[in-house]
């Protein structure tokens, strides 16, 4: 996908907490990062750059700058949970395929799911 | 600030659109990035890594991985606006000082402001 991208006047944001994720996933930063990147590829996002960090003694963060904005994931092995956020200026309702890939792969017990359209053009207010 | 950080069971997320920001700010990616980093320093966040991109013909994105999670900014000169997002697992209500610094410095005409506490521990649900 091309790195340059014409933004939509209305983007979309998903913010979710996955509760009850298996410890084996939460302590494996390399795997979590791969699951996120696989989701982004399935969703045809353009990846510009990736920043990752493994915390000590545990926990992993990855933030990805996208042609279409950004996404991130943070794991909390001490709480059996992770947070996922994606904001895309590609179109309203965007990012669902990435979210669904994470949900299917990481199989949480339940999810606190929030989403909203983000209006960036005053003509659409 | 130390790079390693003990997360709170309840974090905080701010998601805002600044409308009516001066073009001189929106087309100057270097300045926008500096304003964001200054805000993070005022707010005593730990910066782990920074990813930035200048889009062609215009527009700038910066995403920052923090000890306390992440933040990002995306400018839309074509819409006279920018989006700001911060998620911190440091404490409930966090990130306000960074937001206030952006608001004061960039002086938007109006702001679509959303915030919420993010519960990462099931013991706090």
């Amino acid at each position: 996908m091309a790195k340059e991208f014409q933004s939509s006047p209305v983007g979309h944001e998903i913010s979710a907490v996955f509760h009850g994720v298996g410890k084996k996933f939460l302590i494996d930063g390399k795997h979590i990062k791969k699951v996120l990147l696989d989701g982004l590829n399935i969703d045809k996002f353009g990846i510009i750059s990736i920043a990752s960090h493994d915390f000590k003694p545990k926990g992993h963060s990855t933030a990805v700058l996208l042609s279409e904005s950004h996404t991130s994931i943070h794991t909390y092995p001490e709480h059996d949970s992770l947070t996922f956020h994606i904001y895309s200026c590609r179109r309203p309702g965007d990012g669902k395929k990435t979210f669904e890939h994470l949900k299917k792969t990481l199989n949480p017990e339940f999810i606190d799911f929030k989403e909203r359209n983000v209006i960036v053009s005053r003509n659409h207010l």
Side-chain angles (χ1 to χ4, degrees), chain A residues 64-108:
Chain A
V64 184
L65 198 59
L66 302 171
S67 308
E68 301 84 359
S69 294
H70 74 276
T71 186
S72 68
I73 204 161
H74 306 283
T75 74
Y76 305 96
E78 67 274 34
H79 301 306
D80 302 316
S81 68
L82 64 83
T83 58
F84 165 67
H85 178 265
I86 189 162
Y87 164 59
S88 164
C89 62
R90 187 164 58 178
R91 57 180 169 261
D94 204 18
K96 291 274 178 62
K97 285 183 185 171
T98 305
F99 169 76
E100 290 297 335
H101 179 73
L102 288 169
K103 181 180 168 183
K104 187 181 70 181
T105 310
L106 300 174
N107 194 29

Side-chain angles (χ1 to χ4, degrees), chain A residues 25-93:
Chain A
F25 291 131
L26 296 174
I27 62 171
D28 186 350
K30 195 174 166 185
H31 180 68
I32 283 281
K33 182 177 169 180
K34 183 183 181 306
V35 173
L36 177 61
L37 296 179
D38 286 350
L40 295 173
N41 285 324
I42 290 166
D43 218 347
K44 295 188 168 36
F45 282 109
I47 293 169
I48 293 176
S49 61
I50 304 164
S52 290
H53 186 73
D54 287 307
F55 289 87
K56 290 186 177 69
K58 54 193 176 181
H60 175 84
S61 287
T62 286
V64 184
L65 198 59
L66 302 171
S67 308
E68 301 84 359
S69 294
H70 74 276
T71 186
S72 68
I73 204 161
H74 306 283
T75 74
Y76 305 96
E78 67 274 34
H79 301 306
D80 302 316
S81 68
L82 64 83
T83 58
F84 165 67
H85 178 265
I86 189 162
Y87 164 59
S88 164
C89 62
R90 187 164 58 178
R91 57 180 169 261

